[in-house]
Amino acid sequence: MPTTNESRRIRPSQSARPADGLNDEQRAAVNTLFGPMLVLAGAGTGKTRVITHRIVQLIRSGVAPDRILSVTFTNKAAKEMQERTADLIGRRLPAKPFISTFHSLCVRILREEIEHLGYPSRFQIMDRGDQESAARRVLRDIRVTEKSLRPGDLLGVISRWKSAGVSAERAADASENDQDFLAAMGYRRYQEQIRASGAVDFDDLLLLTDRLFTEFPDVLERQQAKFDHVQIDEYQDTNGIQFRLIAALVQQHRNLCVVGDDDQAIYGWRGAEVRHILGFNSHFPEAKVFRLEDNYRCTDRILELANRLVRHNKGRHPKTLRAHKTSTQEVRVLEYPDEQQEAEKVVLEIRFLSQKRDVPYRDIAILFRTNEQPRMFEAEMRRTGVPYVLIGSQSFYDRKEIRDMLSYLKVMSHPQDEASLFRIINVPARGIGAKTVEKLQERAVREGRSFWDVVHEARQSGELPAKANTGLQDLEHLLHSFRRRFEESPRQMEHLMRELIDTIHYESEIERQYKDPQQQLARTAVIDEFVESLGEYVQSTARPSLDDYLTSITLEGRDEEPDKEAQAAENAVKLMTMHSAKGLEFPRVYMVGMEEGLLPHKRSVDATEKEIEEERRLAYVGVTRAKDVLTFTRAATRRKWGKVRESVASRFLFEMFDEAFAPIVVEDEPEE
C-alpha cells in the first residue's frame, strides 16, 4: 500500500478512529484511504458527510492537510465543505486541505505555470461584457455580419469547443455546419486577440491547464507532487476536460476518491458526460466501489416509485435505495381538465394546507420541467395572495421577449412611459439608430419636453435621417392605432396581441437573433405563452382593461438572483425547474405537467434513448426531492400555439406505477 513521505505527515491524534454517526457503508468508504475508489451516493444518502469525514480521517491518519485536494462544482459548496471539515476536526491545524472548484484549482495552477504558454502570470480573467466586446471586434475584423453570426452565438460555439477540449487550431475540423465554420475563423482570431491583451476567459482556465499538462511534462510533475490524495464531488457532472485534468493529477499515486450518482446525471446539455462515472472502473480497474443506498430523506413509498422509475435506464450502476421513513400518505396522481385548472387547484390546495392544516409555505415546492410552466402558477399565487419565490431561473415575465411585449403594452397604456418606449423603439429594427435616439432624448431632457414633442419638431425641420424619420412615423402610427383598438375592444386582447406581433414581424426578429432552431422554438413558445395569458386574463375578469392587466402581472425586479438555498429558507412556496431543485429537499413536493412533451421534453421524445434516459434521471431527481408527501399533476388538455390540444400522460408515470395508475378526480374541497 502506498505510504506518505515522513516529511509530509503530522502526528496522528488520539482520536484517530472511525467517526461516529456513520452507517456501515459510509464508514467503509471513510476508512478506505488509499487507491482509487468510487462512492455511488444515491439521493439522500449522506454523500457530503462521507466526503468531509473522509478528509478528517485522512488527517487523523497522519496525512498533512495541505496534501489533500477536494474538488467540487460551486464556490458555496467548497466553502461549506471547509467549514464542516474544520468543525469535525475541532482544533486548529498547521495547514488546511485545499478545497476548491475546478476553476479555482486551475487559476492556482495557471498563476504558477501559464508563462510557459506565452501568457503573463498576472493574466486578467475576462467577464461576459469583455468577451462580447472582443467577439464584436473579431466579427468586424473577419467581416462577418451579425446576420450571419451574432457575438453571443460566436461565444457560445467557442465555449462548447473549449469545454470539449477543442483548440482554435482544431476547430475547423470540428465544424458541423456553415455557422461553425465561421465560428472556427472567429475562434482563432478571438484567442489571438485576448492572448495579446494578456487575458483569458472562463473556459480558458480549464483548457489552458489541460494544455500545460499535455505539452509540458515538467509542469504536470510539479502539480502532481503537490497532492497525495484527491477527492471529486458530484463526479457525474464532470466533462471531458475536467476528467483529463484529474486523471493526469493522480497518475503517480492513484489515490482518487470520486463521489457521485449516475442516476442524478442531468447536465448532459452543458457538456457533462455520465460515461465518466459509468466507466470509472475501466480507467481504474483496481478501484473499490461503495454503494450508499440508505436514504434518510424520503418515505418508503416515494423511494419505491423512484427505484422503479430509474431501473428503466440501461446505462447505470445497479443500486436500490432503502428508506428509513414510513409513508403516512399515498403518492397521488391528479388529472385536471386543462392547465389553468391545474394551477388554480394546486394553489387552492396549498392555501388550504396553510390555513387549515398549519403547513408552512416553506415546506412546499412545485417542480416544473420548463421555464415557461411557472407562469400560470405565479399569476394564481399573486391573485390569491400565496407567497412564493422562483428559485434558480428567471421569472416568466423577466425574459427578454416578454419584457419587449410588455413594453409595447405599457407604452400603449401609458404614452408617457419613455423607459418602455426606448426599450422597443428599434425592436424589431426599424432604422432608428441609437445615436439618433440619444440626441433626441438629450434634447427632450434639456428642454423639459416630451420625447415625441421633440421628434415632431425635428421631423418638421428635416433634422432626422430618412430611415429614422420613416421608422419613427411608422412606430407612432402603430402605437396610436393599437392603443385605440385595445381601449375599444378589451375583450379582444389576445387577438390584438397576435396581430401586433405579426405586424412588427417579431418572430422574424427571433429568427434573426437566434440561429439555433431549438432556441427559436423555445423563444417562440415563450411568446405564445404570453399571448395566451392575455386570453386567460380576459376570460377570468369581468371588466378587463389593458391597464388592469399590466397592473396584475407586474413583478418586483431583482438586482441579482439570490442563492437558492437562502431562497428555499423563506416562508414561501418554492417554484423551480427540476434542474434547479437538485441538491434541495422539501417535505411536500408537487411535480406538475407530467405529460409527454413536457416530461420527457418534446426535444427528447423523438430523440435517442440516451436523451430519454437523461429525462428519466431528471424525473428521478424531482421525485427524490420529496421527503414526506409527493403529488404528480397533469392537464388532460393544454393550449399550444393558440389551440387546445389533448395531452398524453408521461411515460414515467406508467413506469413508476407499473403501467397501472388511476388519476384522482379532484373535488372542489382540496384534500391533504
Side-chain angles (χ1 to χ4, degrees):
M1 181 169 61
T3 59
T4 310
N5 187 292
E6 187 65 31
S7 65
R8 300 174 183 170
R9 299 177 68 88
I10 61 174
R11 178 174 295 179
S13 72
Q14 291 287 330
S15 57
R17 61 179 185 273
D20 293 330
L22 300 172
N23 62 37
D24 290 345
E25 198 68 12
Q26 289 173 332
R27 186 171 292 109
V30 165
N31 287 329
T32 300
L33 304 182
F34 294 96
M37 56 186 288
L38 168 62
V39 181
L40 294 169
T45 58
K47 73 177 178 63
T48 305
R49 174 183 289 269
V50 167
I51 293 170
T52 53
H53 276 77
R54 188 172 181 276
I55 293 174
V56 171
Q57 193 65 5
L58 283 166
I59 295 170
R60 287 174 173 167
S61 72
V63 178
D66 58 356
R67 305 295 304 173
I68 302 168
L69 168 65
S70 192
V71 182
T72 187
F73 275 80
T74 67
N75 289 310
K76 184 175 185 297
K79 182 180 178 181
E80 287 179 353
M81 200 175 293
Q82 279 278 19
E83 293 171 349
R84 291 179 67 166
T85 301
D87 289 343
L88 287 169
I89 290 289
R91 59 188 173 90
R92 294 185 64 85
L93 297 170
K96 293 181 179 179
F98 188 65
I99 302 175
S100 79
T101 64
F102 274 101
H103 289 90
S104 296
L105 170 65
C106 290
V107 167
R108 172 170 154 163
I109 295 170
L110 291 173
R111 291 293 182 203
E112 298 173 356
E113 309 283 6
I114 198 171
E115 289 179 341
H116 289 85
L117 298 174
Y119 290 80
S121 60
R122 298 183 63 182
F123 58 85
Q124 296 295 312
I125 303 173
M126 303 168 70
D127 62 21
R128 181 68 183 187
D130 294 333
Q131 285 184 268
E132 290 183 351
S133 296
R136 285 193 183 90
R137 290 195 298 272
V138 164
L139 292 173
R140 184 183 64 236
D141 290 347
I142 64 176
R143 299 183 180 181
V144 173
T145 67
E146 289 201 15
K147 288 185 178 180
S148 301
L149 187 66
R150 296 169 61 245
D153 294 332
L154 172 61
L155 293 175
V157 177
I158 291 174
S159 179
R160 170 165 55 85
W161 277 331
K162 287 184 176 182
S163 295
V166 177
S167 66
E169 292 72 26
R170 294 194 297 114
D173 295 334
S175 298
E176 298 177 356
N177 50 48
D178 290 345
Q179 187 186 62
D180 278 3
F181 182 74
L182 292 176
M185 296 169 54
Y187 184 7
R188 182 186 290 269
R189 192 62 173 260
Y190 172 83
Q191 284 302 106
E192 291 173 351
Q193 189 178 110
I194 66 175
R195 177 174 174 170
S197 64
V200 301
D201 64 23
F202 199 63
D203 295 308
D204 279 331
L205 298 176
L206 273 64
L207 184 67
L208 295 178
T209 305
D210 185 52
R211 274 190 61 195
L212 280 171
F213 286 1
T214 303
E215 298 174 14
F216 300 92
D218 56 326
V219 170
L220 176 58
E221 287 178 13
R222 280 195 294 274
Q223 296 303 320
Q224 288 172 333
K226 290 179 181 293
F227 303 107
D228 297 316
H229 295 268
V230 177
Q231 292 189 154
I232 310 295
D233 188 17
E234 302 287 5
Y235 188 65
Q236 76 279 352
D237 294 336
T238 53
N239 61 30
I241 200 166
Q242 290 163 338
F243 172 78
R244 288 201 301 275
L245 290 173
I246 294 304
L249 279 177
V250 303
Q251 269 179 7
Q252 301 303 316
H253 56 71
R254 297 175 77 83
N255 292 329
L256 173 63
C257 171
V258 301
V259 183
D261 182 10
D262 49 297
D263 289 334
Q264 296 185 76
I266 58 173
Y267 295 117
W269 51 276
R270 68 183 190 194
E273 298 179 37
V274 69
R275 64 186 176 89
H276 295 143
I277 193 168
L278 294 177
F280 187 76
N281 286 85
S282 65
H283 295 283
F284 299 93
E286 75 275 33
K288 295 179 180 177
V289 179
F290 300 89
R291 286 175 168 79
L292 307 186
E293 297 176 309
D294 287 292
N295 176 287
Y296 300 95
R297 175 191 299 159
C298 310
T299 65
D300 52 358
R301 181 58 176 152
I302 292 171
L303 281 190
E304 180 185 350
L305 296 176
N307 286 327
R308 279 187 198 161
L309 173 66
V310 80
R311 282 193 201 111
H312 284 79
N313 275 0
K314 297 175 182 176
R316 65 184 293 264
H317 288 288
K319 54 185 144 353
T320 301
L321 298 186
R322 297 182 294 269
H324 284 251
K325 291 167 58 176
T326 303
S327 297
T328 59
Q329 298 182 48
E330 283 297 311
V331 175
R332 299 175 301 163
V333 181
L334 308 181
E335 183 177 298
Y336 301 93
D338 54 46
E339 68 269 43
Q340 183 66 44
Q341 291 200 49
E342 180 185 38
E344 289 177 1
K345 296 294 187 180
V346 167
V347 173
L348 179 65
E349 178 169 295
I350 289 171
R351 286 190 69 206
F352 173 83
L353 290 170
S354 172
Q355 295 174 2
K356 303 299 183 182
R357 302 293 176 86
D358 295 323
V359 175
Y361 285 124
R362 69 168 59 87
D363 285 358
I364 303 170
I366 302 177
L367 307 186
F368 312 86
R369 171 60 181 91
T370 71
N371 285 318
E372 288 72 49
Q373 287 173 268
R375 193 259 307 167
M376 283 191 179
F377 291 83
E378 284 190 77
E380 191 62 23
M381 288 181 179
R382 286 196 307 274
R383 187 183 71 81
T384 58
V386 172
Y388 74 91
V389 60
L390 193 69
I391 294 180
S393 63
Q394 283 182 304
S395 167
F396 178 83
Y397 297 104
D398 283 341
R399 289 170 174 76
K400 177 190 181 300
E401 292 76 20
I402 305 308
R403 289 169 66 85
D404 287 347
M405 294 301 100
L406 286 174
S407 292
Y408 273 99
L409 295 181
K410 287 177 180 178
V411 174
M412 286 188 279
S413 182
H414 302 283
Q416 69 276 20
D417 185 351
E418 292 185 353
S420 295
L421 173 64
F422 295 145
R423 180 180 180 88
I424 50 87
I425 197 166
N426 201 42
V427 176
R430 47 177 64 90
I432 308 171
K435 288 185 179 179
T436 299
V437 174
E438 185 177 349
K439 287 180 181 178
L440 292 169
Q441 186 180 10
E442 287 176 352
R443 181 171 165 186
V445 172
R446 186 173 62 250
E447 297 176 7
R449 302 162 66 194
S450 78
F451 178 82
W452 284 114
D453 284 344
V454 172
V455 169
H456 296 154
E457 186 173 281
R459 184 183 298 152
Q460 290 173 359
S461 62
E463 298 173 35
L464 294 175
K467 282 187 177 180
N469 184 53
T470 301
L472 285 165
Q473 268 189 310
D474 291 345
L475 177 61
E476 187 176 23
H477 174 74
L478 175 93
L479 293 173
H480 177 76
S481 172
F482 275 92
R483 179 184 303 130
R484 176 177 51 80
R485 295 175 66 190
F486 269 88
E487 289 173 351
E488 293 174 352
S489 308
R491 292 210 166 271
Q492 298 298 314
M493 282 190 194
E494 182 176 0
H495 168 75
L496 290 171
M497 193 69 225
R498 289 191 189 280
E499 187 177 335
L500 173 63
I501 291 168
D502 289 340
T503 301
I504 63 176
H505 306 294
Y506 193 82
E507 291 191 6
S508 296
E509 174 74 359
I510 290 175
E511 292 173 2
R512 185 186 71 80
Q513 289 192 28
Y514 306 99
K515 303 305 179 186
D516 182 350
Q518 294 293 348
Q519 277 203 342
Q520 293 174 6
L521 185 65
R523 303 284 174 167
T524 306
V526 167
I527 290 294
D528 198 64
E529 277 275 301
F530 173 74
V531 174
E532 290 174 3
S533 75
L534 280 163
E536 292 153 8
Y537 161 76
V538 169
Q539 291 174 13
S540 62
T541 306
R543 299 180 62 185
S545 71
L546 183 54
D547 190 48
D548 181 65
Y549 170 75
L550 290 170
T551 301
S552 73
I553 53 88
T554 300
L555 293 174
E556 294 290 332
R558 295 190 299 268
D559 292 332
E560 61 181 27
E561 195 69 38
D563 179 77
K564 70 179 186 179
E565 282 84 359
Q567 287 182 309
E570 295 182 33
N571 190 26
V573 177
K574 310 307 180 299
L575 305 180
M576 72 193 85
T577 64
M578 291 169 205
H579 283 102
S580 296
K582 188 172 180 293
L584 300 177
E585 58 184 44
F586 301 93
R588 292 173 177 268
V589 167
Y590 293 85
M591 287 179 63
V592 302
M594 293 295 294
E595 301 150 30
E596 291 289 298
L598 285 177
L599 187 66
H601 195 275
K602 58 190 171 188
R603 288 198 298 267
S604 303
V605 170
D606 298 322
T608 64
E609 184 60 27
K610 177 182 176 182
E611 289 172 295
I612 289 293
E613 289 203 351
E614 179 151 327
E615 290 290 297
R616 190 176 285 112
R617 291 194 294 267
L618 187 58
Y620 172 84
V621 166
V623 170
T624 54
R625 298 313 92 194
K627 297 168 66 175
D628 303 309
V629 182
L630 175 63
T631 302
F632 298 104
T633 73
R634 64 172 294 257
T637 64
R638 195 171 287 271
R639 288 191 74 177
K640 296 176 184 177
W641 312 112
K643 294 183 179 180
V644 175
R645 305 175 190 273
E646 291 186 4
S647 69
V648 177
S650 170
R651 71 188 70 184
F652 300 149
L653 288 174
F654 293 96
E655 292 173 359
M656 282 186 281
F657 290 89
D658 284 342
E659 301 281 337
F661 72 94
I664 298 173
V665 178
V666 181
E667 299 176 356
D668 289 339
E669 286 298 319
E671 300 174 352
E672 184 179 7

